[in-house]
Amino acid sequence: MSSRFAYDCNPYSTGHVISTVRHLMRTGGLNVSLSSIARSCGTTRNFLYSNWKSASALHLRALTTELAQAFDTAHRACPSDGTVPGITRHLTEVVRVIRRHPTTAAVARSSPTAFSAAHTATEGPLMRVATERVSDLLHPLCPRGGIWGDPELGARPWRIVWIARPAALCPEAAGDRLREDTLDNAFTELLRDLLAPWASGRGSDGTDPQ
């Protein structure tokens, strides 16, 4: 038996617990309780409480994992080539993946107030994961120092996350081609505007970064 197999089948492993929560949230959203998680994991409520304290903490950990996975899924379908057009295509795919993900719809359905608040949140683990991923994608646009080598480029990740959320957090549009195209096109145009100074391979000050 491989160590990975043993890890995946261990009901007390963090990987197993978070994987179970992710699975449950795809139908139950934020209504997934600590008791239901324990039951599905094959553990006890006391064990989960001693390690994570609340179902909300597990929800957040699961959502953070799902968000990171959305970027990985988009990378496989539409990898970025490090150019503005490539980054734009990739991030538009990320937006689609999140919008169409069953967890997005389940959270919107189960907790409309919390879901609405996600549209305007300015900090938190989910924001940090998203901005870090976007920062990594923008890094090739400034070969000398990445986004931190260009103050204007360094200000873009948070702005990109901000304009992406209305298009990503709209599960009711999933499957409606016209609505999805409208959302994706609007996001694409805004993203192109934000990254226009780097579209020609030059920095925001007009100098050649090479």
Side-chain angles (χ1 to χ4, degrees):
M1 180 184 295
S2 71
S3 59
R4 179 178 178 182
F5 181 81
Y7 173 83
D8 289 344
C9 292
N10 179 1
Y12 296 97
S13 73
T14 298
H16 176 71
V17 171
I18 300 307
S19 178
T20 300
V21 178
R22 289 172 64 190
H23 176 74
L24 294 172
M25 288 184 69
R26 289 173 187 180
T27 53
L30 298 183
N31 284 340
V32 174
S33 68
L34 211 57
S35 296
S36 66
I37 297 170
R39 195 162 49 247
S40 295
C41 283
T43 60
T44 66
R45 191 178 184 282
N46 286 341
F47 167 76
L48 295 178
Y49 180 79
S50 67
N51 285 276
W52 288 279
K53 302 304 180 186
S54 68
S56 295
L58 284 167
H59 295 161
L60 183 57
R61 180 71 176 272
L63 287 172
T64 301
T65 303
E66 293 284 25
L67 178 58
Q69 187 63 44
F71 277 85
D72 293 340
T73 299
H75 175 73
R76 290 192 294 271
C78 187
S80 169
D81 59 5
T83 66
V84 168
I87 291 168
T88 299
R89 288 192 298 270
H90 176 73
L91 286 174
T92 301
E93 184 66 21
V94 172
V95 163
R96 289 194 197 103
V97 170
I98 295 171
R99 181 195 305 131
R100 297 172 180 178
H101 200 285
T103 299
T104 305
V107 172
R109 183 173 59 249
S110 67
S111 306
T113 300
F115 192 74
S116 177
H119 283 263
T120 55
T122 57
E123 58 185 5
L126 294 174
M127 284 288 290
R128 285 194 294 273
V129 169
T131 52
E132 286 169 5
R133 289 285 187 140
V134 173
S135 295
D136 289 344
L137 287 168
L138 299 187
H139 195 87
L141 296 181
C142 186
R144 293 190 304 213
I147 66 168
W148 307 121
D150 185 332
E152 286 298 315
L153 185 61
R156 292 306 191 262
W158 188 87
R159 297 181 187 183
I160 290 171
V161 172
W162 187 262
I163 65 171
R165 285 186 294 186
L169 303 182
C170 190
E172 64 273 17
D176 183 327
R177 183 172 179 178
L178 178 59
R179 292 188 68 186
E180 289 206 85
D181 285 348
T182 299
L183 289 169
D184 291 341
N185 290 340
F187 170 65
T188 296
E189 289 303 315
L190 289 170
L191 183 53
R192 283 174 179 161
D193 286 346
L194 279 177
L195 298 181
W198 298 272
S200 64
R202 294 179 175 273
S204 61
D205 60 357
T207 61
D208 188 338
Q210 301 295 336

